[in-house]
Amino acid sequence: MILRAPSSWQTITADLALILFLITAHAAGERAAPPPEARQTGPAETGEAALAVHRPAPGESVTEWLRAAATDERQMATIEIGYPAGSRDAALAEGSRLLDEAQRAGVTARLLLAPDTAAGVIISVDYLRRPEDGTNLAE
């Protein structure tokens, strides 16, 4: 009488593939904790990523970038400017210039100024406004 193994190499391979799939699916569902030194501002506060992010050079025109990045009336640009001590007026002037460029691009924008250890500008675009639903009958 010839004895056969209760399982073949195909069954073992299928079992291993299923185990690998389950481990990968579990790991993909977990969010990695940000490092404690990471600065949490803007979209990262809500745990969501922005649709588009740009770090312009000082004095760089962002009108064309904003036109390309914001393609929906529900989208809004957030201009975040960090400034070191003593340079608030320069940061405010740069923020005003960037707001003017957003207006020329036809993009709604908001400006956030905050003291920081180094100067820097980040512009992000995300869905921050609700669409008009046509139900505002009594205004």
Side-chain angles (χ1 to χ4, degrees):
M1 182 163 113
I2 300 174
L3 296 175
R4 298 192 75 176
S7 62
S8 65
W9 67 270
Q10 293 96 344
T11 306
I12 294 171
T13 304
D15 288 344
L16 291 174
L18 182 60
I19 291 169
L20 180 62
F21 171 76
L22 291 174
I23 291 171
T24 305
H26 179 71
E30 295 178 353
R31 284 186 181 234
E37 66 274 0
R39 186 176 137 194
Q40 298 288 321
T41 59
E45 291 174 351
T46 62
E48 299 176 7
L51 297 172
V53 178
H54 182 56
R55 288 184 181 264
E60 175 185 343
S61 175
V62 295
T63 305
E64 291 302 317
W65 182 83
L66 284 168
R67 282 187 187 134
T71 58
D72 190 319
E73 66 184 19
R74 298 172 293 166
Q75 294 173 346
M76 178 185 269
T78 301
I79 302 167
E80 299 179 41
I81 300 179
Y83 60 91
S87 62
R88 183 179 64 181
D89 293 337
L92 187 57
E94 177 69 4
S96 179
R97 182 189 71 79
L98 291 170
L99 283 174
D100 289 342
E101 288 198 29
Q103 185 176 13
R104 282 194 297 275
V107 175
T108 303
R110 63 183 178 172
L111 177 63
L112 301 173
L113 290 169
D116 204 347
T117 56
V121 178
I122 299 174
I123 303 173
S124 60
V125 175
D126 207 348
Y127 285 100
L128 297 175
R129 299 179 0 173
R130 295 178 186 222
E132 292 292 327
D133 58 4
T135 59
N136 297 331
L137 298 177
E139 290 190 51

